[in-house]
Amino acid sequence: MTGDEWQRHRPAVFGVAYRLLGSVADAEDVVQDVWLRTTGDRLAEVSDRRAWLVTVAARRAYDLLRSARVRREEYVGPWLPEPLLTGPDAAQPVLVDESVGAAMMLVMERLSPPERVAFVLREAFGLEFSWIAGVLDRSPAAARQLASRARRRIAGARDAGEAGPGAPRGEHERVLRAFRAAYEAGDLEGLVRLLDPEAVYVTDGGGEVFAARKPIVGGRRVGEVLLRVGRRWRLGGAEVVEVGGEPAFLYRREDGAVHSVDTVRLRGGRIAAYWRQVAPSKLAHV
């Protein structure tokens, strides 16, 4: 495989690994493994190289995903995916769709590993069930069943407002601009007006740094916590970046180090979910 051909397919290789693992670092490791497998004459007889590369990446990610599920049973506090910078902030080309957004990544986390693989390969990459069956070591009929079951569970989450298309980008940007202005002014009432009364605030410290072990619920409580944390860490103003295809906040401490990357989900023009990633190991690539 030539370097140019690899670069054309690399976003798909990285994309399937990230969607399955929720980890930029692990996805990059998968990319390296796949790249090493493209050397020599291994691909000479492969007619659909994109499908081959995606399934090789998916098979490696599937192995990692199964072991990760065991580790996450002992995870300290809530788990959130590593923020994936997209748009002009991306270091590498990234395939962007709903499945890399924070909301969908959290919903997919509830799927079993085989369901997640079948769903991602079918819905995000359009692979035939014969390819998916090879990754899962199942029959094509069993792979189809897994994908169908995953779609039903995703549909239930969409009906509950937990996933699905978010607010229009213009509305998303408007709410974040207003939220940033209120935050920087220390205006609690302004924040409360922009937070859903039942807003949920979730932080992932991974046991590496102090973070709330349980979600905080209630617009006023969330606003109070955000202002208190900002004062404690002497955070500067929020930078607006693109994460998973949607506008998000990046906060830095006084020394310029990244403190957190915050993603949100809107409902009715207000922030209904506020997800803050503060684990240093998950921010190393930002």
Side-chain angles (χ1 to χ4, degrees), residues 20 27 31 88 93 111-112 117 133 155 167 173 179 198-199 201 204 215 219 231 243:
L20 292 178
V31 169
L111 302 177
S112 70
V117 170
E173 292 175 341
F179 196 89
E198 301 300 319
Y201 171 77
D204 177 355
R231 289 192 297 268
V243 173

Side-chain angles (χ1 to χ4, degrees), residues 11-27:
V13 173
F14 174 87
V16 68
Y18 177 77
R19 285 165 173 82
L20 292 178
L21 299 169
S23 165
V24 173
D26 288 344

Side-chain angles (χ1 to χ4, degrees), residues 77-155:
W79 178 92
L80 295 173
E82 287 186 25
L84 175 65
L85 296 179
T86 53
D89 304 301
Q92 298 288 341
V94 178
L95 297 175
V96 177
D97 60 20
E98 178 193 359
S99 62
V100 295
M104 183 60 83
M105 292 292 289
L106 288 169
V107 171
M108 289 197 299
E109 185 68 10
R110 303 177 204 159
L111 302 177
S112 70
E115 288 172 343
R116 187 165 179 169
V117 170
F119 178 80
V120 167
L121 292 182
R122 183 63 178 175
E123 300 301 317
F125 293 90
L127 262 63
E128 298 295 330
F129 287 110
S130 57
W131 287 97
I132 300 171
V135 174
L136 297 173
D137 196 23
R138 311 278 181 100
S139 69
R144 184 186 298 274
Q145 270 193 328
L146 286 165
S148 178
R149 190 185 310 155
R151 279 196 301 272
R152 288 196 300 271
R153 297 183 67 181
I154 297 292

